Structures are given as structure tokens and as C-alpha cells.
Amino acid sequence: MGQQVDFDIVVIGAGVVGLASAYKIQLHHPGISIAVLEKEEQLAAHQTGHNSGVIHSGLYYKPGSNKAKTCAKGRKELVAFAREHNIPYEICGKIIVATRAKELAKLEEIFQNGLENEIEGIEKIGPDEINEVEPFCGGIAGIKVPCTGIIDFTKVAKKLGELIEVQSSGSKVLTSHRVTSLDRHDFYTKVITNQGALTGRYIINCAGLQCDRIAEMDGVETKMKIVPFRGDYYELTGQARDKVKTLIYPVPDPAFPFLGVHFTRKIDGSVECGPNAVFSFKREGYGKTDFSFRDCWDALSYKGTWKMFLKQWKYGLAEYERAFSKKLFLRQLQRLIPSLQADDIKPGNAGVRAQAVGRRGELIDDFLIKRRGNAIHVLNAPSPAATASLAIGDYINQMATEYFKLKD
Ligand SMILES: Cc1cc2nc3c(=O)[nH]c(=O)nc-3n(C[C@H](O)[C@H](O)[C@H](O)COP(=O)(O)OP(=O)(O)OC[C@H]3O[C@@H](n4cnc5c(N)ncnc54)[C@H](O)[C@@H]3O)c2cc1C
């Protein structure tokens, strides 16, 4: 252990997961130095800065899963963190709405799941109560979820970045530092970036859409690949904004890990509707026609992607149609708000989800975090990882404390 290093820990990726992990480790081990390396000029440039900004309750997730374990805990911590650091948030609640009789069984299943996950205050509601909360919503039955909220996760990420540097003078959050390769040695790793090399005793990979590539640089056999899914949003215009008071979600398709096209009143007062979910030809491409040869090659030369396409082709085609047809997108939205018209929506933002896909084409649903030697790799941190970030940070701190034998 005599080797001199620049930092005790190097975290790769300054999204909310990397920053929350560094923050939690620093909090529990004030004496150690951490570098968080981010390839972009600013923090939260990808998934964290392009998400719906929803503080999820945790009612959907399989009891006992990592998502279920960290979402409710992370939500409570996130709210306390926002309050402490004056980050605007609102616990506005949401409703999940069935619009067709065939969705009622799934709605009941979600409700029972919420009870099992001990989500506070959830209740079943009928059409009248749905309209008390959302007068324009046309549902036949629903679930009211009072503890759901909204926040700007970019603000959360920036505050975490500030605190990491304040907590220890030896720690740094370095933007415009793209990690290009890793050179492993017995007791340290040389991290090569576009701005030169630095050394760290331990590595934590939180690179989101690029996490499988960083893991490969570290020689990890991941048995998965990141396949990017773009989600396009529309925004409600003018007076149509008044048609949504809080958050309105459909009953999700059980075969797919995404929550379906929903309405979200954001913390800045705008109302977003979406996202859909289509295969993206570029991992960090936010336009409908963005393309990267490398990203396409990586995804399409992987058998798991084709197996996934075969399993999900019907769903995938429908999503593609909606991506290019406002009319079809609107029709989907009208299931929840029947009076919505084409003039009421205009194109909004887009986000790309990092979806880990296994070799048999299965969409890996739960958070996946692996240790190998002197490194921890976060290989799947989809929604609700932003909500759960502080709890994921605690989990990674526990792993780091145990495996890296960190001292206080
Ligand atoms: C459309 C959409 C909607 C969502 N809605 C919600 C929601 O409402 N609520 C919720 O809780 N979750 C939501 N999520 C999920 C949530 O946003 C993500 O789970 C979370 O942001 C993941 O954070 P991360 O830090 O792992 O990844 P990211 O935020 O993607 O951060 C990874 C970082 O690593 C950096 N990086 C990559 N490669 C390198 C390299 N070689 N060198 C240096 N840096 C590198 C990237 O630039 C990036 O900044 C949504 C996601 C999407 C895409």
C-alpha cells in the first residue's frame, strides 16, 4: 500500500449517482480524497439532466429488489436534503389511472405491491375522486399516491458537487475530463483522461450510458450491454397547462420496464407529457435522427439486442410510429385526458435511458452494482435511480467501506 496516489478514490461520471456516491463516502470517511471525473463541461449533462424530475414513491418495484429497498429510503433522504439546501421541490402527489377494464387487474396488483412496499398514504379511488384531483382526466379507477413529488435533479447534482469539495480540501469534481482508458496495477489504477493521467487507489464507475465501456476498460466480464432508449416529450401549451394539476400516470405495460406516457407538472410550472421509448442510434443523441456509427455497431453487433428486438418487436414498432406521428402520440395522451387537442401540445425535450440488456435479450430491471478487485461498477441504474441516489450512495459507501477497507 506504499504507492503514492493522487486520490484515494476516483469516481467516473458526475451524474446524480456518481455524485451521491462520492458525497456519501466523503461524509462517512472525511479523511479520504475523492476525484469525480466528468467528460462534459457541466454536471448532470445526460440522464440526470434529461429526466422527468419525479421523486418516485417506490410502489411499482418488486418487494425485496434493490429498487424497492432504495427508492422509498432515497426519496425521504432526498426531500430532507432538498429542504436543508433550499432546493425547490414539491410533494404534489400523483394518480395512476386505468382507462380500460382490462387494466384493472394490473392496477390492483400495483396497489398490493405498494402496500407490501409500505408506501405511505396510498388509496384506491374511483372516477369521482379522480376528477376531484384531476378534473380533465378520464379514468375508470385509480390509485392516489400522495408522497410522490417533483424536483430539478440538475440542482441536486450541482449541490452534491459543491458539498464534495467543501467536505474535504483534497477532493475535486473535475469537469471536461473524459476517461479514455484504465491501467490497472496491484494497489492502484492509472486513469487516463483527455487531460492527462491521474492515479486512484480505488475506482467507482458511475458512467451511466457509458458504464459498460468503462467496465470493459477495467477488464470486467459484464454479461450485459447498455442499449440506449430515447424518450421524446411533448409540452402542454398555453391554457392546456391547466388541464393537469399534478402528475397523471397510466397503468404500465407489465412486459416493459418503462412507466408509459404520463403527464408531469414540473417544478418550473411547465407540464410535460411523455416519454415514449425507442431504440436510439446514439447513446447521447437527443434528436430523432442523431446517429453514431460506434454506438450502433456496439448495440447491433450484440446478440442480446436482436433477441430483445425479437421479443419486443410489436411494442417497439408502436413506439416508433408514435415517435414520428404527433397524431398517434396525441391519441395515447387522450386516453388519460380525452379533451386534449393537437394545438394543446408542442414538441419538448428528450432523454436517453441507459438500459442494460442481458445476453438472452432480457431487459435487466433491477439496479446492478458489481465489485471487481479495486473497483465498483454501477452497471444498471435506470429510473428511479435519481430518486434513490442518496440511498444508492449509502449502499456504495457500505460496499467501499467493506471491500476497500476504508478507514474514517
Ligand atoms: C427520459 C428519462 C426520464 C427519467 N425520469 C426519472 C424520474 O422522473 N425520476 C427518477 O428518479 N429517475 C428518472 N430517470 C432515471 C434517472 O434519470 C437515472 O436513473 C439517473 O439519472 C442515472 O444517473 P447516473 O449518474 O447513473 O447517470 P448519468 O446522469 O447519465 O451520469 C453519467 C455521467 O457519466 C459521464 N461519463 C460517461 N462516460 C464518461 C467518461 N468516459 N469519462 C468521464 N465521464 C463520463 C456522463 O457524461 C454523465 O454525466 C429518467 C431517465 C430518463 C432518461
Side-chain angles (χ1 to χ4, degrees), residues 3-11 33 35 183-185 187-191 197-203 374:
Q3 173 72 34
Q4 277 292 102
V5 290
D6 298 316
F7 295 95
D8 293 307
I9 297 181
V10 175
V11 175
S33 62
D183 183 9
R184 279 170 62 108
H185 296 262
F187 298 111
Y188 71 101
T189 298
K190 191 170 171 186
V191 181
L198 50 89
T199 50
R201 225 178 280 291
Y202 308 107
I203 302 294
N374 291 341

mmCIF file of all heavy atoms in Angstrom, residues 3-11 33 35 183-185 187-191 197-203 374:
data_model
loop_
_atom_site.group_PDB
_atom_site.id
_atom_site.type_symbol
_atom_site.label_atom_id
_atom_site.label_comp_id
_atom_site.label_asym_id
_atom_site.label_seq_id
_atom_site.Cartn_x
_atom_site.Cartn_y
_atom_site.Cartn_z
ATOM 1 N N GLN A 3 2.366 2.772 -2.318
ATOM 2 C CA GLN A 3 2.311 3.582 -3.527
ATOM 3 C C GLN A 3 1.615 4.922 -3.294
ATOM 4 O O GLN A 3 0.516 4.981 -2.762
ATOM 5 C CB GLN A 3 1.544 2.770 -4.583
ATOM 6 C CG GLN A 3 1.237 3.517 -5.857
ATOM 7 C CD GLN A 3 2.460 3.744 -6.723
ATOM 8 O OE1 GLN A 3 3.356 2.908 -6.772
ATOM 9 N NE2 GLN A 3 2.515 4.901 -7.375
ATOM 10 N N GLN A 4 2.275 6.026 -3.683
ATOM 11 C CA GLN A 4 1.654 7.350 -3.596
ATOM 12 C C GLN A 4 0.614 7.476 -4.697
ATOM 13 O O GLN A 4 0.908 7.158 -5.852
ATOM 14 C CB GLN A 4 2.709 8.432 -3.800
ATOM 15 C CG GLN A 4 3.499 8.781 -2.561
ATOM 16 C CD GLN A 4 2.629 9.481 -1.522
ATOM 17 O OE1 GLN A 4 2.224 8.846 -0.563
ATOM 18 N NE2 GLN A 4 2.328 10.754 -1.727
ATOM 19 N N VAL A 5 -0.577 7.938 -4.357
ATOM 20 C CA VAL A 5 -1.590 8.134 -5.402
ATOM 21 C C VAL A 5 -2.109 9.568 -5.340
ATOM 22 O O VAL A 5 -1.968 10.253 -4.327
ATOM 23 C CB VAL A 5 -2.790 7.160 -5.236
ATOM 24 C CG1 VAL A 5 -2.414 5.736 -5.552
ATOM 25 C CG2 VAL A 5 -3.395 7.287 -3.842
ATOM 26 N N ASP A 6 -2.739 10.006 -6.462
ATOM 27 C CA ASP A 6 -3.310 11.358 -6.475
ATOM 28 C C ASP A 6 -4.573 11.429 -5.620
ATOM 29 O O ASP A 6 -4.826 12.425 -4.954
ATOM 30 C CB ASP A 6 -3.639 11.767 -7.916
ATOM 31 C CG ASP A 6 -2.386 11.804 -8.793
ATOM 32 O OD1 ASP A 6 -1.360 12.327 -8.314
ATOM 33 O OD2 ASP A 6 -2.426 11.285 -9.922
ATOM 34 N N PHE A 7 -5.382 10.370 -5.700
ATOM 35 C CA PHE A 7 -6.662 10.348 -4.953
ATOM 36 C C PHE A 7 -6.876 8.948 -4.400
ATOM 37 O O PHE A 7 -6.471 7.960 -5.012
ATOM 38 C CB PHE A 7 -7.837 10.694 -5.883
ATOM 39 C CG PHE A 7 -7.772 12.109 -6.401
ATOM 40 C CD1 PHE A 7 -7.202 12.376 -7.640
ATOM 41 C CD2 PHE A 7 -8.270 13.165 -5.645
ATOM 42 C CE1 PHE A 7 -7.133 13.671 -8.119
ATOM 43 C CE2 PHE A 7 -8.211 14.470 -6.121
ATOM 44 C CZ PHE A 7 -7.639 14.730 -7.359
ATOM 45 N N ASP A 8 -7.561 8.867 -3.242
ATOM 46 C CA ASP A 8 -7.901 7.535 -2.719
ATOM 47 C C ASP A 8 -8.911 6.865 -3.647
ATOM 48 O O ASP A 8 -8.789 5.693 -3.974
ATOM 49 C CB ASP A 8 -8.498 7.668 -1.307
ATOM 50 C CG ASP A 8 -7.473 8.169 -0.301
ATOM 51 O OD1 ASP A 8 -6.389 7.560 -0.229
ATOM 52 O OD2 ASP A 8 -7.732 9.195 0.356
ATOM 53 N N ILE A 9 -9.939 7.650 -4.043
ATOM 54 C CA ILE A 9 -10.991 7.072 -4.898
ATOM 55 C C ILE A 9 -11.209 7.962 -6.107
ATOM 56 O O ILE A 9 -11.256 9.197 -5.977
ATOM 57 C CB ILE A 9 -12.315 6.939 -4.124
ATOM 58 C CG1 ILE A 9 -12.146 5.970 -2.942
ATOM 59 C CG2 ILE A 9 -13.447 6.461 -5.032
ATOM 60 C CD1 ILE A 9 -13.382 5.731 -2.122
ATOM 61 N N VAL A 10 -11.328 7.346 -7.275
ATOM 62 C CA VAL A 10 -11.710 8.096 -8.474
ATOM 63 C C VAL A 10 -13.099 7.600 -8.898
ATOM 64 O O VAL A 10 -13.290 6.408 -9.152
ATOM 65 C CB VAL A 10 -10.699 7.891 -9.624
ATOM 66 C CG1 VAL A 10 -11.193 8.589 -10.889
ATOM 67 C CG2 VAL A 10 -9.332 8.424 -9.227
ATOM 68 N N VAL A 11 -14.061 8.539 -8.911
ATOM 69 C CA VAL A 11 -15.415 8.210 -9.374
ATOM 70 C C VAL A 11 -15.512 8.686 -10.821
ATOM 71 O O VAL A 11 -15.166 9.830 -11.127
ATOM 72 C CB VAL A 11 -16.479 8.929 -8.510
ATOM 73 C CG1 VAL A 11 -17.882 8.688 -9.070
ATOM 74 C CG2 VAL A 11 -16.399 8.462 -7.057
ATOM 75 N N SER A 33 -9.486 11.280 0.088
ATOM 76 C CA SER A 33 -9.640 12.218 -1.037
ATOM 77 C C SER A 33 -10.334 11.509 -2.202
ATOM 78 O O SER A 33 -10.048 10.345 -2.502
ATOM 79 C CB SER A 33 -8.265 12.734 -1.468
ATOM 80 O OG SER A 33 -7.473 11.651 -1.904
ATOM 81 N N ALA A 35 -11.734 12.060 -6.349
ATOM 82 C CA ALA A 35 -11.898 12.856 -7.576
ATOM 83 C C ALA A 35 -13.118 12.320 -8.304
ATOM 84 O O ALA A 35 -13.247 11.110 -8.497
ATOM 85 C CB ALA A 35 -10.679 12.723 -8.470
ATOM 86 N N ASP A 183 -5.490 1.752 -16.529
ATOM 87 C CA ASP A 183 -4.300 0.911 -16.471
ATOM 88 C C ASP A 183 -4.195 0.377 -15.039
ATOM 89 O O ASP A 183 -3.805 1.111 -14.120
ATOM 90 C CB ASP A 183 -3.092 1.816 -16.850
ATOM 91 C CG ASP A 183 -1.803 1.050 -16.886
ATOM 92 O OD1 ASP A 183 -1.848 -0.187 -16.791
ATOM 93 O OD2 ASP A 183 -0.737 1.704 -16.996
ATOM 94 N N ARG A 184 -4.603 -0.892 -14.877
ATOM 95 C CA ARG A 184 -4.693 -1.452 -13.523
ATOM 96 C C ARG A 184 -3.354 -1.945 -13.012
ATOM 97 O O ARG A 184 -2.630 -2.639 -13.722
ATOM 98 C CB ARG A 184 -5.655 -2.639 -13.523
ATOM 99 C CG ARG A 184 -7.096 -2.244 -13.454
ATOM 100 C CD ARG A 184 -7.926 -3.457 -13.717
ATOM 101 N NE ARG A 184 -7.661 -4.457 -12.683
ATOM 102 C CZ ARG A 184 -8.515 -4.770 -11.731
ATOM 103 N NH1 ARG A 184 -9.675 -4.187 -11.672
ATOM 104 N NH2 ARG A 184 -8.208 -5.687 -10.836
ATOM 105 N N HIS A 185 -3.042 -1.626 -11.777
ATOM 106 C CA HIS A 185 -1.866 -2.160 -11.093
ATOM 107 C C HIS A 185 -2.363 -2.822 -9.808
ATOM 108 O O HIS A 185 -3.531 -2.710 -9.470
ATOM 109 C CB HIS A 185 -0.880 -1.029 -10.797
ATOM 110 C CG HIS A 185 -0.326 -0.408 -12.047
ATOM 111 N ND1 HIS A 185 0.895 -0.732 -12.578
ATOM 112 C CD2 HIS A 185 -0.875 0.493 -12.892
ATOM 113 C CE1 HIS A 185 1.079 -0.041 -13.702
ATOM 114 N NE2 HIS A 185 0.020 0.711 -13.903
ATOM 115 N N PHE A 187 -2.056 -2.191 -6.571
ATOM 116 C CA PHE A 187 -2.607 -1.392 -5.471
ATOM 117 C C PHE A 187 -3.145 -0.032 -5.903
ATOM 118 O O PHE A 187 -3.447 0.809 -5.079
ATOM 119 C CB PHE A 187 -1.553 -1.215 -4.359
ATOM 120 C CG PHE A 187 -1.156 -2.527 -3.765
ATOM 121 C CD1 PHE A 187 0.110 -3.055 -3.968
ATOM 122 C CD2 PHE A 187 -2.078 -3.258 -3.024
ATOM 123 C CE1 PHE A 187 0.454 -4.285 -3.436
ATOM 124 C CE2 PHE A 187 -1.737 -4.487 -2.497
ATOM 125 C CZ PHE A 187 -0.473 -5.012 -2.701
ATOM 126 N N TYR A 188 -3.192 0.174 -7.199
ATOM 127 C CA TYR A 188 -3.755 1.442 -7.690
ATOM 128 C C TYR A 188 -4.126 1.280 -9.163
ATOM 129 O O TYR A 188 -3.741 0.306 -9.812
ATOM 130 C CB TYR A 188 -2.759 2.605 -7.510
ATOM 131 C CG TYR A 188 -1.563 2.559 -8.438
ATOM 132 C CD1 TYR A 188 -1.528 3.371 -9.579
ATOM 133 C CD2 TYR A 188 -0.484 1.714 -8.200
ATOM 134 C CE1 TYR A 188 -0.454 3.325 -10.455
ATOM 135 C CE2 TYR A 188 0.593 1.661 -9.065
ATOM 136 C CZ TYR A 188 0.606 2.462 -10.183
ATOM 137 O OH TYR A 188 1.657 2.416 -11.051
ATOM 138 N N THR A 189 -4.889 2.245 -9.664
ATOM 139 C CA THR A 189 -5.226 2.256 -11.093
ATOM 140 C C THR A 189 -4.828 3.608 -11.659
ATOM 141 O O THR A 189 -5.075 4.651 -11.031
ATOM 142 C CB THR A 189 -6.742 2.033 -11.306
ATOM 143 O OG1 THR A 189 -7.076 0.748 -10.786
ATOM 144 C CG2 THR A 189 -7.123 2.071 -12.783
ATOM 145 N N LYS A 190 -4.168 3.568 -12.823
ATOM 146 C CA LYS A 190 -3.863 4.818 -13.516
ATOM 147 C C LYS A 190 -5.052 5.110 -14.427
ATOM 148 O O LYS A 190 -5.420 4.278 -15.272
ATOM 149 C CB LYS A 190 -2.588 4.613 -14.333
ATOM 150 C CG LYS A 190 -2.007 5.875 -14.886
ATOM 151 C CD LYS A 190 -0.630 5.528 -15.448
ATOM 152 C CE LYS A 190 -0.029 6.651 -16.218
ATOM 153 N NZ LYS A 190 1.221 6.259 -16.875
ATOM 154 N N VAL A 191 -5.651 6.278 -14.224
ATOM 155 C CA VAL A 191 -6.831 6.649 -15.009
ATOM 156 C C VAL A 191 -6.378 7.639 -16.072
ATOM 157 O O VAL A 191 -5.911 8.738 -15.745
ATOM 158 C CB VAL A 191 -7.898 7.303 -14.098
ATOM 159 C CG1 VAL A 191 -9.148 7.669 -14.903
ATOM 160 C CG2 VAL A 191 -8.256 6.383 -12.943
ATOM 161 N N ALA A 197 -3.043 11.882 -17.112
ATOM 162 C CA ALA A 197 -3.355 10.732 -16.264
ATOM 163 C C ALA A 197 -3.372 11.131 -14.801
ATOM 164 O O ALA A 197 -2.695 12.086 -14.397
ATOM 165 C CB ALA A 197 -2.316 9.649 -16.493
ATOM 166 N N LEU A 198 -4.169 10.412 -14.018
ATOM 167 C CA LEU A 198 -4.094 10.546 -12.570
ATOM 168 C C LEU A 198 -4.288 9.168 -11.959
ATOM 169 O O LEU A 198 -4.819 8.257 -12.616
ATOM 170 C CB LEU A 198 -5.093 11.586 -12.047
ATOM 171 C CG LEU A 198 -6.545 11.517 -12.492
ATOM 172 C CD1 LEU A 198 -7.319 10.633 -11.570
ATOM 173 C CD2 LEU A 198 -7.136 12.909 -12.514
ATOM 174 N N THR A 199 -3.868 9.032 -10.709
ATOM 175 C CA THR A 199 -3.938 7.698 -10.101
ATOM 176 C C THR A 199 -4.927 7.678 -8.938
ATOM 177 O O THR A 199 -5.085 8.670 -8.224
ATOM 178 C CB THR A 199 -2.552 7.258 -9.591
ATOM 179 O OG1 THR A 199 -2.012 8.309 -8.787
ATOM 180 C CG2 THR A 199 -1.603 6.953 -10.731
ATOM 181 N N GLY A 200 -5.566 6.549 -8.792
ATOM 182 C CA GLY A 200 -6.504 6.368 -7.683
ATOM 183 C C GLY A 200 -6.330 4.973 -7.113
ATOM 184 O O GLY A 200 -6.059 4.033 -7.862
ATOM 185 N N ARG A 201 -6.471 4.896 -5.777
ATOM 186 C CA ARG A 201 -6.334 3.567 -5.166
ATOM 187 C C ARG A 201 -7.544 2.688 -5.577
ATOM 188 O O ARG A 201 -7.409 1.509 -5.828
ATOM 189 C CB ARG A 201 -6.303 3.730 -3.647
ATOM 190 C CG ARG A 201 -5.223 2.919 -2.969
ATOM 191 C CD ARG A 201 -5.194 3.129 -1.484
ATOM 192 N NE ARG A 201 -4.510 4.356 -1.071
ATOM 193 C CZ ARG A 201 -3.206 4.578 -1.177
ATOM 194 N NH1 ARG A 201 -2.419 3.667 -1.717
ATOM 195 N NH2 ARG A 201 -2.670 5.712 -0.779
ATOM 196 N N TYR A 202 -8.702 3.329 -5.637
ATOM 197 C CA TYR A 202 -9.935 2.590 -5.982
ATOM 198 C C TYR A 202 -10.726 3.372 -7.030
ATOM 199 O O TYR A 202 -10.653 4.594 -7.075
ATOM 200 C CB TYR A 202 -10.806 2.397 -4.733
ATOM 201 C CG TYR A 202 -10.051 1.793 -3.589
ATOM 202 C CD1 TYR A 202 -9.691 2.568 -2.483
ATOM 203 C CD2 TYR A 202 -9.662 0.457 -3.613
ATOM 204 C CE1 TYR A 202 -8.969 2.028 -1.434
ATOM 205 C CE2 TYR A 202 -8.939 -0.100 -2.563
ATOM 206 C CZ TYR A 202 -8.596 0.695 -1.477
ATOM 207 O OH TYR A 202 -7.872 0.156 -0.458
ATOM 208 N N ILE A 203 -11.501 2.623 -7.821
ATOM 209 C CA ILE A 203 -12.298 3.230 -8.895
ATOM 210 C C ILE A 203 -13.782 2.927 -8.657
ATOM 211 O O ILE A 203 -14.122 1.805 -8.295
ATOM 212 C CB ILE A 203 -11.910 2.577 -10.258
ATOM 213 C CG1 ILE A 203 -10.428 2.742 -10.549
ATOM 214 C CG2 ILE A 203 -12.758 3.104 -11.414
ATOM 215 C CD1 ILE A 203 -10.001 4.163 -10.764
ATOM 216 N N ASN A 374 -10.261 -3.791 -7.149
ATOM 217 C CA ASN A 374 -10.278 -2.468 -6.523
ATOM 218 C C ASN A 374 -11.301 -1.539 -7.156
ATOM 219 O O ASN A 374 -11.131 -0.317 -7.097
ATOM 220 C CB ASN A 374 -8.886 -1.830 -6.631
ATOM 221 C CG ASN A 374 -7.891 -2.561 -5.744
ATOM 222 O OD1 ASN A 374 -8.291 -3.270 -4.825
ATOM 223 N ND2 ASN A 374 -6.616 -2.387 -6.014
#
